[in-house]
Amino acid sequence: MKRMYETIYIVQPELADDELKGLTAKVQEIVTSMNGDLRKLDDWGLRKLSYPIEKFIRGRYFYLRFDGDAPLIAELERKLRLDDKVIRYQSVKLEKEAAAPVAAQPAPAEAEAPAASEE
């Protein structure tokens, strides 16, 4: 039975484009080889980490949404753990179809509240 999963993984910030393409191709190949259905793969870009990880203060974030089963998750996490370019990852099972989180955008300027009238 296929279930819905999402994985967010963080890679080293200084990777070249060809290394990033190779890593994303490897992740896609894992999902398809284990009979999973890849729904979405987003590059969220370079962001500052909350705390240093392996002496990195920034990391490149990727969002992966797919359908699969438990052996797929085990294999994907095993491959991510073995890859030195990946500094963190987390997989979560989704209960129902949810809108994909959007990369954080700057908050829009709020409309000015009407000034309180002075008496």
Side-chain angles (χ1 to χ4, degrees):
M1 178 178 168
K2 289 190 177 185
R3 297 198 168 131
M4 297 177 285
Y5 293 96
E6 67 182 12
T7 299
I8 295 176
Y9 59 98
I10 307 170
V11 300
Q12 296 173 356
E14 74 275 350
L15 293 179
D17 286 339
D18 58 336
E19 291 175 309
L20 289 174
K21 288 178 185 176
L23 183 61
T24 56
K26 184 170 98 172
V27 168
Q28 290 174 346
E29 190 271 328
I30 293 167
V31 172
T32 55
S33 70
M34 299 287 292
N35 297 324
D37 296 324
L38 183 67
R39 300 292 182 196
K40 187 175 215 170
L41 177 61
D42 284 340
D43 180 357
W44 284 356
L46 199 61
R47 295 168 179 243
K48 186 177 184 304
L49 301 173
S50 298
Y51 54 90
I53 302 173
E54 300 175 12
K55 298 185 180 180
F56 293 107
I57 58 172
R58 300 180 70 76
R60 189 173 200 105
Y61 284 68
F62 286 90
Y63 172 79
L64 177 65
R65 164 66 184 87
F66 59 96
D67 298 336
D69 50 6
L72 169 58
I73 290 293
E75 181 65 13
L76 177 64
E77 289 187 348
R78 185 181 77 81
K79 295 278 181 135
L80 290 175
R81 183 174 40 255
L82 293 174
D83 196 332
D84 292 337
K85 298 174 194 137
V86 178
I87 55 178
R88 281 288 189 273
Y89 62 88
Q90 183 173 18
S91 298
V92 178
K93 183 179 88 162
L94 302 173
E95 293 298 323
K96 60 180 181 175
E97 186 68 35
V102 179
Q105 300 292 330
E110 295 184 24
E112 292 182 22
S117 61
E118 296 181 21
E119 294 180 19

